[in-house]
Structure formats: C-alpha cells, structure tokens
C-alpha cells in the first residue's frame, strides 16, 4: 500500500489577520500572533480567550453576535497591529525627562495617549472616506435626497454604489504602499495556511504554498457584505425617516452621516449572519453570492514569501495546540518598552503556571543588573535585547526547569554557587546551617561536610572563617562523582581551599573532625511524586530521597558519627519538617541534643554533642 499522504478534510474554526511582518490566528480558546523581528527570528505572542460557550447568552444571539464580533475585531485587530509594529520596528529610545516626569508625577502615559489619538484618527478617517465621501460625491447628482419616493431610493442606492467604488479604489491605492503590500502578502499566507489545514495536508511551507489564497471566512468578504447590506439598510431606513428627519438645510448631510453610524450595528449583525451562512455551504447556487467577495480577496491578498508562510504556520500551530491543551501557558513578545508592562505580562504567565511571581522579579533583576527591590520600586525602559533575554528565561522556566538552573548559579551566603541538574539548588534554610558552623568552629579545628552536593556549605564555612581570621581545615564528601565535579568548580571559582573526596558517607573517611555538618536527603520516598514539578523532575533524586520514612541517611550517620568526631565534637544536621524529634532520638549515646528552629519557626536543625 502507498503511504497515506494526507488526512481527511477538516474544517477548522481558526481565523486570522495579517499584521506588520506577521500573522495573527484566532481559535476558540486562544489567539496567537507570529511576527518576524529585524534579526529574522519569529516571535510569538499568545493569549487565552473566553470560549464561545462561556460567553453571555445575549452576546451569542443571532445578529447580536455579529455586532460583538465586529467590535472585538476592531479593538483586538488594532491592538495586535500595534503590538506587531513593536516587534517589526523596535524602538529602544529612552523616555525623555518630560515623559518621565509626567508618568511619575501625574500618571500620564504619553505613549498611550498617542496610541489613542492614532486610533481615533483612524476611525474618523474611515468614517470620512467610506461614509461622508460617498455621500458628498452623490450629492452632486440630481436626486431629491429628502424624498420618500423613488428619488430617495435611487439616491441611496447610487450612494452605496459609490461607496463600493471608493472601497475598491482605496484598496488599490494602499496596495501601492510597500509596507502594506507586504501586509497583503502576509494576508495571503494566512489564507493559504488555513486552506492547507482544512484540505487535510501537513502544514509545511511547500504544501501551504500550493493552496488557494482566498477563503470563505475572510474579513474582506465580510467588508464586502457590509457594503452590500449597508446599501439595502441605508436605502430603506433613509426612505422611512426622510420625511421627518431631513429638513432640507445644510445640516441634513451631518444627520445622514450620524444616522448611518447608528445603523452600523444592524449592518454588522446582518452581514455576519450572511457570512456564516455562506461559509457553511458549498452549493453552486450560493456561490454567486460568494463570488464578489472572493474576487475582492484577490486585491487584498498577494502571493507570500516562504518566510511569511513560516510565520502563518507558527501562529496557526500555536493556536491549534492551545485549543487542544488548556495547560499551555501564554507567551509574550520580547520588545522594548516599559519594565512594568513586561513584568506584569510575565507575572501573569507565571501565575497561570502556578509559579511564584517573585521569580519574575528575580529574572528582571538578574538580567538588568539591578537590585530586586528596584524592579517594582521604579519605572524604567527595557531594551529589545534585554526583553528577549527576559522572555527566553521565562519561557524556559515555564517548561518546569528551576530558575537557578536556567541562570546557572545561585547565591549562598553571598557566594556565587554554580548549579545544574547534577546538584540540589541550595536553599536559604541551609545558609543558616552553614553560619551555625561558622559561629561554632574554633581556630585550628577541622570540619567535615557530608553530602556536600554543590559544595555550598563547605565553601561558605571556608570563606567565612577566613574573614574571621580562623584557620579551619574543611573536607567535603559526596557519593556522586558528578556532584563533586560541580563542587570543585565552585571551590575554585570562590578560591576556597577545600579537600574533596568521593565517599558513601564515612566509607572512605580517615581521621576525626571537630564538627561534622550535613544536609542529607530527607524526603520520604512516597512524597517525592508530590513535590513541586521543578524539584521532582529536575533536581537529582539521589539528593532528595531519604528512604521510606526519610531517615535512612540519619540512621547511618548516627551509627558511625562518634567514630569520626573528636572528644567534645559536634554534629550539625538539617532535617525535614516534622523530623527533628525522630532524628534526635537516633543519637542515644550523645552528651546532649539541641533542636533549633529556622527563620520560619520550623524545627529545622539538630545539634548533637558527642
């Protein structure tokens, strides 16, 4: 048998829009925009949408839904167009002193004001070109505009025809602008991608290139239907109201424009229902109603380049995946802009993935080289390159990989400790354990660090005792050769003089020590699967699993520790929550035992004096 080359035809509810150097795709529960930035990389921004069945019943009513969709399309379309421009044409300029002053003192965002003005001017321009201009041109013809008879009907019909001609002329003119010509090419890529998927073919550049660039659900067809429906609606409505609304004065023109604007929701609602009906049928009879819109799409779509098709495929696949899997997090563009705006977006993504939002602040602080307190304490501009690094780290964090593995190092008692999947990430609680050793050890004494992992405790003890002018010999052991590799690198990077040895606890230890310190594995085996995803899936299980009850390593330490401690020596250990009492009871022959709480008030450390 020949290999099946394509799937069955599969209609899809995903629609789209061409934007600056990219494509937006919108599905049932998600929307994604893919834009190619000046460096040639495809950036993707996605967001979750309220599915149709969860919207209010009123907004889903026939005709009413068309009005809601029309308004949402205008608002979202403009917003996404502006966002795509931020990616395609990044601006790394810092705000002026005046802009900063207005923002900080009065909360005035000049950028937001300019965007609002641009949108307002766009709406006014559309009203002027597609409503006022056709009316003005038709006004030169010998019709009685206030008539309720055939003169009034013909005037409105002719005005509708002029409006349609103006619309076509407008499309032809803007297609001559190079940047908009590229938008039309991306429009073609959008249609071809949807057509390719619906035809059952695999979404590859080659397959998409061979598909049609016209589609039943295109916005151009909708606009054409709006034009046709408006001719009928405006004609009938104007005839009805002409006898009492128009007075024959110069204000009639303004009244006619206002009246048409008030009728736009009716036009949009009717046009939407017609478009839905036409898109669901393949009848040759109804094709005569589709044909003008499909023909008009030849003007608003152009044959795309392969890189444009790649953008369309990226946006389509993102929506397809998000519609199928509600756990996939949203994504954001990496563009220059205000730190607060990007921080808000990253925190939102982290909250959706149940990640501590404080980690977002750490990402900004480390990337920008500023104190963590400054991330939320002051406003500043983030350059495109910085934003890309922030988004890259955030995206990787959302895969479940721990932040400090992504960063590559963590702070421990003020020392930079390299960390990766070979070692545990040192916790703040363990810093307290290290400083307890520093406070207890005397000049000339020796310290043994059991289960050293990244070497964090050993390094902190070595360096902090040096600062206190204590000469202390530090030995660090671990059963893992990989962990010791990391520990040695950390010791060398921090110029810490430490003796390292691979050993299963005391197996290869010779001699005695004044202090033995250990942060061994103490998680009960049955609890491992219940740990946070980043711990369970990424941190080494060998450093986590403490056996059936979490105390296996403590039992082994209790059995042999006295053989390796000098008289009067001390054993200091970190324990899991609720384990302190049980661990202390393992050391029956000790001189005394002390349980110490951590900064959260939890019994966290056990001191054993031999």
């Amino acid at each position: 048998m020949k290999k099946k080359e394509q799937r069955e035809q599969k209609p899809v509810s995903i629609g789209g829009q061409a934007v600056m150097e990219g494509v937006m795709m919108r599905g049932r529960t998600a929307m994604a925009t893919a834009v190619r930035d000046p460096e040639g990389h495809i950036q993707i921004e996605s967001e979750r949408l309220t599915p149709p069945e969860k919207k209010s019943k009123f907004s889903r009513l026939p005709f009413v839904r068309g009005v809601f969709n029309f308004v949402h399309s205008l608002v979202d379309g403009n917003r996404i167009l502006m966002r795509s421009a931020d990616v395609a044409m990044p601006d790394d300029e810092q705000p002026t002193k005046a802009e900063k002053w207005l923002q900080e003192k009065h909360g005035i965002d000049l950028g937001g004001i300019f965007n609002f003005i641009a949108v307002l001017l766009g709406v006014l321009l559309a009203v002027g070109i597609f409503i006022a201009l056709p009316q003005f041109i038709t006004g030169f013809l010998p019709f009685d505009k206030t008539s309720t008879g055939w003169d009034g009907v013909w005037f409105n019909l002719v005005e509708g025809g002029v409006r349609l001609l103006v619309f076509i002329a407008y499309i032809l003119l803007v297609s001559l602008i190079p940047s908009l010509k590229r938008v039309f090419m991306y429009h073609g890529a959008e249609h071809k991608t949807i057509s390719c998927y619906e035809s059952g073919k695999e979404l590859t550049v080659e397959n998409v290139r061979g598909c049609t660039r016209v589609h039943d659900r295109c916005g151009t067809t909708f606009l054409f239907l709006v034009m046709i429906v408006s001719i009928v609606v405006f004609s009938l409505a104007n005839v009805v109201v002409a006898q009492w609304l128009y007075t024959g004065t110069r204000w009639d023109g303004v009244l006619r424009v206002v009246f048409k604007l008030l009728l736009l929701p009716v036009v949009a609602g009717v046009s939407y229902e017609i478009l839905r009906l036409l898109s669901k049928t393949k009848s040759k009879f109804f094709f005569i109603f589709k044909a003008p819109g499909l023909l008009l799409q030849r003007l608003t779509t152009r044959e795309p380049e392969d890189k444009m098709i790649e953008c369309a495929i990226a946006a389509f696949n993102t929506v397809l995946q998000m519609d199928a899997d509600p756990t996939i997090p949203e994504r954001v563009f990496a563009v220059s802009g205000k730190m607060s705006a990007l921080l808000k977006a990253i925190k939102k993504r982290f909250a959706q993935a149940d990640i501590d939002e404080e980690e977002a602040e750490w990402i900004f602080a480390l990337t920008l080289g500023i104190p963590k307190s400054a991330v939320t304490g002051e406003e500043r501009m983030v350059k495109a390159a910085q934003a890309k690094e922030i988004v890259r780290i955030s995206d990787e964090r959302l895969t479940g990989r721990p932040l400090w593995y992504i960063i590559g190092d963590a702070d421990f008692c003020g020392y930079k400790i390299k960390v990766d999947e070979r070692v545990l990430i040192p916790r703040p609680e363990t810093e307290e354990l290290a400083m307890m050793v520093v406070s207890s050890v005397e000049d000339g004494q020796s310290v043994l660090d059991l289960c050293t992992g990244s070497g964090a405790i050993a390094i902190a003890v070595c360096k902090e005792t040096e600062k206190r002018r204590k000469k202390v010999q530090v030995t660090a052991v671990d059963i893992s050769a990989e962990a010791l590799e990391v520990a040695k690198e950390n010791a060398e990077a921090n110029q810490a003089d430490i003796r390292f040895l691979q050993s299963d606890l005391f197996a290869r230890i010779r001699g005695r020590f004044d202090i033995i310190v250990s942060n061994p594995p103490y998680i009960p085996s049955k609890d491992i699967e219940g740990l946070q995803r980043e711990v369970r899936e990424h941190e080494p299980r060998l450093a986590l699993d403490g056996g059936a009850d979490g105390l296996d390593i403590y039992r082994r330490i209790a059995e042999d520790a006295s053989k390796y401690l000098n008289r009067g020596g001390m054993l200091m250990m970190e324990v899991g929550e609720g384990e302190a009492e049980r661990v202390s009871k393992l050391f029956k022959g000790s001189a005394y035992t002390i349980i110490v709480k951590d900064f959260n008030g939890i019994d966290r450390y056990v001191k054993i004096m031999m």
Side-chain angles (χ1 to χ4, degrees), residues 127 131 135 245 251-264:
V127 171
I131 295 181
Q135 179 178 299
L245 182 63
W251 291 104
D252 282 355
V254 176
L255 290 173
R256 289 172 63 86
V257 170
V258 172
F259 187 55
K260 288 169 186 172
L261 290 176
L262 292 175
L263 286 173
L264 276 180

Side-chain angles (χ1 to χ4, degrees), residues 261-277:
L261 290 176
L262 292 175
L263 286 173
L264 276 180
V266 177
V267 172
V270 174
S271 301
Y272 180 78
E273 297 305 322
I274 295 174
L275 182 66
R276 278 175 60 93
L277 175 65

Side-chain angles (χ1 to χ4, degrees), residues 408-469:
D409 57 60
D411 181 88
F412 187 85
C413 295
Y415 302 98
K416 185 175 288 189
I417 303 296
K418 173 183 176 180
V419 290
D420 56 32
E421 280 76 1
R422 294 174 290 178
V423 296
L424 285 182
I425 299 168
R427 270 61 173 182
E429 295 87 347
T430 309
E431 289 183 317
E432 290 193 43
L433 177 63
M435 296 312 295
M436 285 167 54
V437 175
V438 172
S439 299
S440 301
V441 71
E442 300 293 339
D443 183 35
Q445 290 188 333
S446 57
V447 176
L448 173 65
D449 178 18
L450 288 177
C451 307
T452 191
S454 64
I457 294 176
I459 291 168
V461 170
C462 181
K463 300 301 292 184
E464 289 299 309
T465 52
E466 282 182 7
K467 289 181 181 179
R468 291 162 174 74
R469 300 184 183 280

Side-chain angles (χ1 to χ4, degrees), residues 100-372:
K100 287 182 178 179
W101 183 80
L102 285 172
Q103 176 67 39
E104 294 172 0
K105 299 295 183 181
H106 302 285
I108 297 175
D109 180 8
L110 286 182
I113 293 175
F114 290 148
N115 286 342
F116 174 77
I117 293 174
V119 172
L120 182 61
L121 289 175
V123 171
L124 292 176
L125 184 63
V127 171
I129 293 176
F130 302 116
I131 295 181
L133 180 60
Q135 179 178 299
F136 174 76
I137 294 173
T138 314
F140 288 101
L141 300 177
F143 292 114
D144 180 3
K145 298 182 284 294
T146 62
S147 172
T148 58
W150 282 107
D151 252 17
V153 173
W154 277 110
F155 175 83
N156 287 288
L157 290 174
V158 171
E159 182 189 330
V162 172
R163 185 179 301 110
L164 187 57
L165 291 174
V166 168
F167 178 62
I168 295 173
Y170 174 81
I171 292 175
L172 291 172
L173 285 173
V174 298
S175 66
L176 299 177
I177 303 173
S179 59
L180 291 181
K181 182 180 178 181
R182 290 186 62 80
V183 172
F184 287 174
M185 294 169 73
Y186 275 106
H187 192 193
E190 173 226 323
H191 282 190
K192 282 173 171 284
T193 300
I194 296 174
S195 297
C196 181
Y197 181 84
E198 290 184 328
S199 68
K201 298 177 183 177
E202 182 182 358
L203 285 182
T204 65
V205 172
E206 184 177 357
N207 286 343
V208 170
R209 195 190 305 117
C211 292
T212 179
R213 69 174 197 264
V214 297
H215 198 278
D216 288 346
R217 292 183 284 109
C218 176
T220 304
T221 300
F222 176 71
L223 290 177
F224 177 78
L225 288 173
V226 166
M227 294 290 176
I228 299 302
V229 172
S230 68
I231 292 174
V232 177
V233 172
F234 291 167
S235 297
L236 296 176
N238 272 283
V239 168
V240 172
V241 303
Q243 58 184 334
W244 57 268
L245 182 63
Y246 302 132
T247 62
T249 66
R250 62 182 180 178
W251 291 104
D252 282 355
V254 176
L255 290 173
R256 289 172 63 86
V257 170
V258 172
F259 187 55
K260 288 169 186 172
L261 290 176
L262 292 175
L263 286 173
L264 276 180
V266 177
V267 172
V270 174
S271 301
Y272 180 78
E273 297 305 322
I274 295 174
L275 182 66
R276 278 175 60 93
L277 175 65
L278 294 178
S279 66
K280 290 182 177 180
T281 179
K282 299 297 181 181
S283 169
K284 292 183 179 180
F285 172 77
F286 283 104
F287 182 76
I288 62 175
F289 298 101
K290 294 182 183 182
L294 297 177
L295 185 62
L296 199 58
Q297 287 182 43
R298 297 290 179 181
L299 299 179
T300 62
T301 61
R302 299 288 178 88
E303 285 298 321
E305 300 170 356
D306 287 354
K307 289 186 176 181
M308 296 176 176
I309 294 174
E310 290 172 356
C311 274
I313 292 174
F316 188 93
N317 281 335
T318 300
V319 171
L320 205 62
Q321 292 162 6
M322 293 181 73
D323 275 350
D325 185 356
T327 66
I328 296 176
E330 296 179 345
R331 299 171 68 175
V332 295
F333 284 141
V335 295
S336 59
K338 291 182 179 178
M339 179 171 66
S340 59
L342 183 57
L343 178 61
K344 181 180 179 181
I346 299 296
K347 281 188 172 183
K348 179 183 176 184
R349 299 177 71 200
F350 279 15
Q352 291 172 340
D354 198 26
I355 296 174
D356 190 344
E357 294 181 13
E358 187 179 8
E359 291 194 27
E361 296 175 14
W362 274 116
I363 292 173
F364 276 76
L366 295 169
T367 303
L368 301 179
I370 59 176
K372 181 171 169 288

Side-chain angles (χ1 to χ4, degrees), residues 581-602:
E581 287 289 347
R582 287 183 292 153
V583 169
S584 63
K585 290 178 181 179
L586 298 175
F587 296 85
K588 297 177 181 178
S590 61
Y592 65 86
T593 300
I594 301 175
I595 295 175
V596 181
K597 298 181 182 296
D598 65 14
F599 53 80
N600 289 316
I602 296 171

Side-chain angles (χ1 to χ4, degrees), residues 14-28:
I14 297 176
Q17 170 189 328
V19 296
M20 296 295 292
E21 294 302 322
V23 172
M24 179 275 283
M25 293 287 187
R26 185 187 185 101
R28 291 186 68 262

